Amino acid sequence: MSLISKLFGGGGKGGKGPSPQEAIQKLRETEEMLTKKQEFLEKKIEQELQIAKKNGTKNKRAALQALKRKKRYEKQLAQIDGTLSTIEFQREALENANTNTEVLKNMGFAAKAMKSAHENMDIDKVDDLMQDITEQQELAQEISDAISKPVGFGEEFDEDELLAELDELEQEELDKNLLEIGGPETTPLPNVPSTSLPSRPEAKKEEDEDDIEDLQRWAMEAM
């Protein structure tokens, strides 16, 4: 019986091997056991070191024996460290393998489900169905367009004539507004006088000029 078989509790050749989950659990238990062993050896090493220091000058023989035991414990501790590294590596490999197995199992399950879903599907029938759906959508659009068109009860009008008539109405309204701004047509405007205004008499003008000259002369004499 191999060491692995003893570790996992396997039977003879005909015995069924452990599952990945069982092997992982066993490795974790072994890691815990070795970790406790490590802690025990570290304490023993520290104890032997203290004994050697204590008897270094008093009892040289006891000090040497303590150092020998310390060396043996250190050797065991190094071996456990290597074993723990190997077990940790193996456990991680098993966990990865178990994960990959579960992933592949789920992918296979999904593939079977997809195959079962497509089992009763025919690609030609799918194409025909999609074509029918397209035709029905086009028909529904045509119906919507027909319903949305305004109904004129058979009456058709020339849009250009309607626009021209609208322009005439707008022009009439504009002319009317301009007339209202200019005031009522019945109010008569005053007539322009036909005769010219009377001009100032020439004799009167000459008389005024003489008066002005007399005033200027009297002012000069007074000075």
Side-chain angles (χ1 to χ4, degrees):
M1 185 179 295
S2 64
L3 178 61
I4 300 298
S5 298
K6 291 180 181 180
L7 181 61
F8 295 142
K13 295 182 179 180
K16 184 178 179 181
S19 65
Q21 292 83 356
E22 292 174 347
I24 291 170
Q25 183 61 32
K26 288 289 185 181
L27 288 173
R28 286 176 177 170
E29 293 175 358
T30 304
E31 284 183 280
E32 292 178 0
M33 179 189 66
L34 292 176
T35 300
K36 292 180 180 179
K37 183 67 174 177
Q38 271 184 327
E39 295 175 354
F40 172 77
L41 289 174
E42 289 173 352
K43 291 180 180 179
K44 295 296 292 183
I45 291 171
E46 182 64 24
Q47 290 176 0
E48 297 300 334
L49 181 61
Q50 294 299 326
I51 292 173
K53 289 180 178 180
K54 182 178 180 180
N55 296 294
T57 55
K58 298 179 181 180
N59 190 346
K60 189 174 182 180
R61 182 182 182 82
L64 291 174
Q65 291 296 326
L67 291 176
K68 289 180 181 179
R69 290 192 296 270
K70 173 179 170 293
K71 291 293 184 181
R72 289 198 302 269
Y73 293 148
E74 288 176 346
K75 185 177 181 180
Q76 293 178 25
L77 184 61
Q79 291 175 347
I80 291 175
D81 288 340
T83 303
L84 277 173
S85 298
T86 302
I87 291 176
E88 183 178 359
F89 175 79
Q90 189 176 16
R91 177 178 55 79
E92 291 176 353
L94 275 173
E95 290 174 345
N96 292 334
N98 185 48
T99 301
N100 293 335
T101 300
E102 291 297 324
V103 171
L104 290 174
K105 185 187 298 183
N106 293 333
M107 291 176 65
F109 180 78
K112 290 180 181 179
M114 186 177 293
K115 183 178 180 180
S116 177
H118 293 161
E119 186 175 1
N120 297 325
M121 290 186 181
D122 186 357
I123 187 62
D124 294 332
K125 293 181 179 179
V126 173
D127 290 338
D128 293 340
L129 177 61
M130 296 305 298
Q131 186 175 359
D132 291 341
I133 292 174
T134 302
E135 292 177 356
Q136 292 301 320
Q137 289 178 344
E138 292 176 354
L139 179 59
Q141 185 63 40
E142 292 177 359
I143 293 174
S144 298
D145 293 341
I147 293 174
S148 62
K149 289 182 180 179
V151 179
F153 301 101
E155 295 182 0
E156 295 182 358
F157 301 97
D158 188 354
E159 188 173 354
D160 293 337
E161 292 181 359
L162 295 175
L163 291 174
E165 184 177 354
L166 180 61
D167 291 339
E168 292 178 0
L169 293 174
E170 291 177 352
Q171 187 62 39
E172 290 179 1
E173 186 68 20
L174 180 61
D175 294 342
K176 181 179 178 181
N177 292 335
L178 290 176
L179 292 175
E180 290 178 354
I181 293 173
E185 296 181 356
T186 56
T187 303
L189 295 175
N191 295 327
V192 179
S194 57
T195 60
S196 60
L197 295 175
S199 60
R200 187 177 181 182
E202 190 66 24
K204 180 66 174 174
K205 180 178 180 182
E206 293 177 356
E207 184 179 353
D208 292 339
E209 291 177 355
D210 293 338
D211 293 338
I212 292 173
E213 291 178 357
D214 292 338
L215 289 173
Q216 291 176 350
R217 187 174 61 254
W218 291 342
M220 291 296 293
E221 292 176 355
M223 293 177 62

